[in-house]
Amino acid sequence: MKLLENLNPQQREAVLHTEGPLLVLAGAGSGKTGVLTHRVAYLIQEKYVEPYNILAVTFTNKAACEMRERIAKLLGFDSPALWISTFHSASVRILRRHIDLFNFSQNFVIFDTSEQKTLIRECMKELNINEKQFPYQVFMRKISKGKNDLITAEEYGERYKSYSLDPSADVYYLYQKKLKQNNALDFDDLIFYVVRLFRKYPEVLHKYEGLFHYILIDEYQDINKAQYALVKSLADKRRNLFVVGDEDQSIYAFRGADMNIILNFERDFPEARIIKLQQNYRSTGNILDVANELVRNNRNRRDKDLWTHKSEGDRPICHEALDERDEAVFIIDKIKESVKKEKRKLSDFVILYRTNAQSRVFEEVLMSEGLPYQVVGGLKFYDRKEIKDILAYVRILWNPTDTMSFKRIINVPPRGIGDKTVEKLLEFSEETERNLYDILIDVNFLRNKKLPAKSVNALQVFKKLMEDLQKNIDEKSISELLEEVMDKSGYLQSLKDQNSVEAVSRIENLEELLKVAQEFIYNHPAADIDEFLALTSLSSDIDMMEESKESITLMTVHSAKGLEFPVVFITGMEEGLFPHQRSIDTKKDFDIEEERRLAYVALTRAMEKLYLSYAWRRSVYGFGSDYNRPSRFLDEVKDYISRTGEEKDMFASEVARPEIVTMEKKKTTFKSNFYRRGDFIKHKEFGKGVVMEVIGDMMKPQFLKVSFQSAGMKKIDISSIC
């Protein structure tokens, strides 16, 4: 069969097993997307399954689009009826049809993280909760966890009513109340309400059970309890559930992902078949040896080893840097060298780090070298002020009860509506239980409330603007509506009037928003405004990543999941950084194993070349812990990596710094003029320091490069040593 001819035996077996539950344990780079897409194509082409009877779920819009394109290529045609989406997008689609059962309007909006933050702070203010005592992030985490555990605000309050000093239940209750007033849902609500919908209204569940004959779930190791409940309810009747995952790549426990769900698949579906995909198509043999050796140290996993038909390739290299700047310079130099000698493109390279803060020094060095780069995981496109402002206009036009958006743009650009006027409107809204838009259009009400004439006139100008934008809205495409909002609101002109570099950048971002809208129209010709708004709310920074852009990519390891690059640099491989100190402090095997899985994900992004680096000193931690030991993960794979420099073994006690934690840890008696790296010295002016480099003849060195506790890196004459 032509459809299956490019698949290996295990992949083919997974595609052909159409009936009953199937777990495909797909190692990194083993072609899981190909298996998913071929299986969908096989169901349609060979089993004559109607496209609308198939639900395929993945975790990013980008992955969903790629899957749809690949299926269309395999079949020779596109099928819009095929349900391929993220969990959240599928949930939005279901809720648009049934949310009225929970007393929401079908034109509900989706609040993103920043809007959640604002709303929670409003709740805290209303409840007189001191943010210094209770940071808003605490409530965001607790509410999110409550929803992912399928606990309503009322149930949460009942469960934790004895915790009198913890106001979380009150915040959760008020937060949900305010969401409803705004006809809004947050991200967690989307799945939360669908699960509740299926449990409370069996007839609705029956409808979708009947609709989805075959269900396919990608990245099954990353699902949380709410997503699991959704999948389980849809699949329980027909049992045609196909899940793909790899517990070795489970790295999102902090977001509520529960790895036990994939580990317990056979318990949930005793009749399930298990197929392992272990042939890797991405990486060279030496890279896979490192990855396999590392992850073997985890106990909570199924046994599997990746292998490849590719060549062994270059042995992964580990570099010890003096400090974080030295680390950055080494990496950028390697990139420049590779571009020059191997004719590589800048887009072939990715620099991975454990925490966002590590990007700073790389950005500084890249800017000084004049090399283009993109940071994935910084400020998201849809989080930029100008984007949120324009979309807020559209959201009000779609959903006039959206108070958050109303407050955001009522005086943007400035039109003479001050904070006091807005406060008054909010008071009127509370008193009358009317939304702000309804109050705005009631001129007599405003005048009777004795608002200043100047304020009333300004509000009327805003009202007229919104009415003009509302005219014939159903006849406008989303890109036409966006252009009209930018123009008629005066927003675009106000940016042009600023005549600054920042304003130009903001205008460029608005132009990019128009391009996004035009692409959306092209790909979804029948879509409504609400579908575009859902896209903007649910889009991730990975979805906006510019793959074709000729630039070096910088990102966290978490952001790199699912991506691949010819050359990968994994930085900051130090105890306390990778693995992170939080995981070390808990003293729990699970937390260290999650960090090791994260390192495994980082390693398996590399196709051809892999570099690992660590810095002896890293200023981010401050003195006392900035002399760092190499990561335990390096020790676990030391037999499979080479290192830069003359030293043969970075972990041997006679080389480098076996016991160094603080300056007082090692006492050295200096004899003659013989010094080596790792020795402690005391300088007449700079005090205590560590020898980083010997310059000159080893027996009679003329100079030493020394990292001092108080003065940083210095080149000194040996005669100045006490």
Side-chain angles (χ1 to χ4, degrees), residues 508-548:
E508 288 172 350
N509 288 334
L510 291 177
E511 290 171 351
E512 183 64 25
L513 179 64
L514 289 174
K515 288 180 189 174
V516 171
Q518 288 158 4
E519 287 176 13
F520 178 80
I521 294 166
Y522 180 79
N523 293 319
H524 308 84
D528 293 327
I529 292 173
D530 66 307
E531 292 179 65
F532 179 76
L533 290 173
L535 169 76
T536 62
S537 296
L538 301 176
S539 184
S540 70
D541 50 349
I542 299 297
D543 296 328
M544 298 300 296
M545 181 180 161
E546 299 177 67
E547 288 186 348
S548 60

Side-chain angles (χ1 to χ4, degrees), residues 34 59 109 133 211 267 271 292 330 413 451 531 551 638 690:
F59 271 77
V109 294
Q133 187 180 0
L211 179 63
R267 183 199 67 187
E271 75 274 33
N292 286 329
F330 167 80
L451 275 179
E531 292 179 65
S551 61
K638 63 183 179 183
V690 183

Side-chain angles (χ1 to χ4, degrees), residues 574-620:
E574 302 139 33
E575 284 292 295
L577 187 54
F578 203 177
H580 200 279
Q581 193 62 45
R582 286 194 301 269
S583 302
I584 297 170
D585 290 343
T586 66
K587 296 183 170 55
K588 293 179 180 176
D589 288 345
F590 176 85
D591 293 323
I592 289 295
E593 288 202 357
E594 173 122 341
E595 288 287 303
R596 190 175 285 109
R597 290 193 295 272
L598 188 59
Y600 174 81
V601 166
L603 295 169
T604 53
R605 300 312 93 196
M607 300 166 71
E608 299 168 18
K609 288 194 174 184
L610 174 65
Y611 293 86
L612 306 127
S613 62
Y614 63 100
W616 196 355
R617 171 176 177 146
R618 190 172 295 274
S619 60
V620 69

Side-chain angles (χ1 to χ4, degrees), residues 175-293:
Y175 173 73
Q176 288 303 106
K177 181 182 175 183
K178 286 182 176 290
L179 279 174
K180 199 159 202 175
Q181 287 171 348
N182 282 273
N183 195 35
L185 306 178
D186 65 23
F187 293 149
D188 296 315
D189 277 331
L190 298 175
I191 296 166
F192 178 68
Y193 273 108
V194 173
V195 175
R196 288 182 63 199
L197 180 73
F198 288 166
R199 290 179 176 179
K200 193 173 180 179
Y201 300 97
E203 67 277 14
V204 178
L205 173 60
H206 181 69
K207 174 182 176 177
Y208 289 98
E209 280 180 329
L211 179 63
F212 301 131
H213 297 188
Y214 296 89
I215 300 171
L216 301 88
I217 311 293
D218 193 12
E219 306 287 3
Y220 196 67
Q221 77 282 344
D222 292 332
I223 69 170
N224 60 35
K225 291 177 182 175
Q227 291 162 342
Y228 167 73
L230 175 58
V231 172
K232 193 83 164 47
S233 59
L234 284 172
D236 246 2
K237 185 177 180 180
R238 295 182 184 271
R239 316 280 289 180
N240 292 331
L241 177 63
F242 175 96
V243 304
V244 182
D246 178 14
E247 66 269 14
D248 289 337
Q249 298 185 74
S250 178
I251 59 173
Y252 295 119
F254 69 96
R255 287 200 319 216
D258 187 351
M259 192 177 74
N260 289 314
I261 293 172
I262 190 171
L263 291 174
N264 294 332
F265 188 81
E266 300 100 310
R267 183 199 67 187
D268 294 334
F269 300 92
E271 75 274 33
R273 193 152 169 202
I274 313 292
I275 297 173
K276 293 182 182 179
L277 302 184
Q278 299 178 97
Q279 183 177 353
N280 179 283
Y281 295 91
R282 176 184 298 155
S283 309
T284 59
N286 278 321
I287 292 171
L288 293 182
D289 285 345
V290 175
N292 286 329
E293 184 65 19

Side-chain angles (χ1 to χ4, degrees), residues 346-396:
L346 292 179
S347 55
D348 287 344
F349 303 93
V350 67
I351 300 171
L352 301 179
Y353 34 79
R354 178 64 180 83
T355 64
N356 276 305
Q358 292 168 255
S359 75
R360 178 191 58 81
V361 68
F362 292 106
E363 291 189 70
E364 289 174 0
V365 175
L366 286 165
M367 283 190 286
S368 69
E369 293 286 340
L371 291 171
Y373 66 92
Q374 59 173 327
V375 181
V376 179
L379 186 62
K380 295 179 184 177
F381 179 77
Y382 292 111
D383 283 345
R384 293 167 184 166
K385 181 182 183 305
E386 59 276 13
I387 303 298
K388 291 184 76 69
D389 286 345
I390 296 302
L391 289 176
Y393 276 97
V394 178
R395 286 165 62 132
I396 290 176

Side-chain angles (χ1 to χ4, degrees), residues 406 410 417 421-422 424-426 428-429 434-453 455-463:
F406 194 98
I410 191 169
I417 303 172
T421 300
V422 175
K424 285 285 185 186
L425 290 176
L426 289 168
F428 302 157
S429 177
R434 297 165 69 189
N435 65 63
L436 290 178
Y437 196 83
D438 284 345
I439 291 172
L440 180 70
I441 62 178
D442 192 341
V443 183
N444 292 328
F445 177 84
L446 294 174
R447 286 173 178 157
N448 291 337
K449 287 294 182 177
K450 297 181 180 178
L451 275 179
S455 298
V456 174
N457 291 336
L459 289 169
Q460 290 309 294
V461 171
F462 180 62
K463 170 199 166 190

